[in-house]
């Protein structure tokens, strides 16, 4: 008999619920024994887990984009469930090759625009200098 139900699936292992731990960056995940056995729980890749929500309940779950370290697994025989405590280890971003290509393209565009600005500035500066010299020469010749 299930006490908590199935709300999450982590690397294919059904979990009852996820709650924040007593310290920052810590989380507790409850797995009922009828849905998950200890070897299944131990086989979860906590460094980069695949987390799937099974219900529409407003639970927070694990933060996306993080890897975790397994702190401990405890068993409660009264409710026949395992409680897994994990802590955040490092953040991962997944496949970022698309973003890298986008950043490179934008960097190239920026470099081209900077070159255009420098060329415009140089040509307008040269034109302004030529106009000033012509005005000076005309003033000197006219006023002598």
């Amino acid at each position: 008999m299930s006490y908590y139900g199935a709300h999450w699936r982590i690397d294919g292992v059904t979990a009852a619920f996820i709650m924040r731990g007593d310290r920052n960056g810590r989380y507790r995940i409850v797995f009922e024994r009828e849905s998950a056995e200890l070897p299944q729980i131990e086989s979860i890749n906590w460094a980069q887990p695949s987390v799937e929500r099974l219900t529409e309940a407003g639970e927070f779950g694990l933060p996306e984009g993080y890897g975790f370290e397994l702190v401990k697994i405890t068993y409660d025989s009264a409710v026949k469930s395992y409680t897994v405590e994990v802590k955040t280890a490092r953040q991962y971003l997944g496949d970022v090759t698309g973003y890298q290509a986008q950043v490179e393209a934008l960097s190239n565009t920026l470099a081209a625009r900077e070159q255009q600005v420098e060329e415009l500035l140089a040509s307008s500066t040269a034109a302004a200098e030529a106009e000033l010299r012509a005005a000076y020469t005309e003033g000197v010749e006219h006023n002598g």
Side-chain angles (χ1 to χ4, degrees):
M1 177 178 103
S2 175
Y3 286 98
Y4 307 117
H7 296 212
W8 300 93
R9 186 168 291 122
I10 304 171
D11 280 356
V13 182
T14 303
F17 57 88
I18 300 170
M19 55 191 159
R20 291 187 175 136
D22 55 355
R23 288 191 266 175
N24 190 27
R26 300 268 178 134
Y27 298 87
R28 284 194 240 138
I29 303 103
V30 175
F31 296 89
E32 291 189 284
R33 194 176 77 189
E34 72 178 39
S35 300
E37 291 296 329
L38 185 58
Q40 292 175 300
I41 297 167
E42 289 175 331
S43 71
I44 293 173
N45 176 16
W46 291 109
Q48 195 170 351
S50 166
V51 180
E52 176 186 356
R53 183 186 300 268
L54 301 177
T55 65
E56 294 300 320
E59 298 175 47
F60 289 107
L62 293 172
E64 290 184 31
Y66 280 88
F68 302 90
E69 288 180 24
L70 179 64
V71 176
K72 66 180 177 178
I73 300 173
T74 56
Y75 180 72
D76 185 345
S77 62
V79 290
K80 297 180 180 160
S81 66
Y82 297 96
T83 301
V84 175
E85 184 176 347
V86 295
K87 66 179 180 177
T88 53
R90 56 187 251 209
Q91 190 172 16
Y92 60 91
L93 301 173
D95 182 17
V96 294
T97 50
Y99 294 117
Q100 288 172 327
Q102 201 174 15
V103 166
E104 187 176 333
L106 290 171
S107 295
N108 292 339
T109 302
L110 178 62
R113 295 280 167 89
E114 287 175 344
Q115 182 66 30
Q116 287 175 343
V117 167
E118 287 178 20
E119 290 171 1
L120 286 171
L121 186 58
S123 68
S124 64
T125 301
E129 284 179 6
E131 285 180 31
L132 283 174
R133 285 179 206 262
Y136 176 78
T137 304
E138 182 183 328
V140 168
E141 289 176 359
H142 187 268
N143 294 324

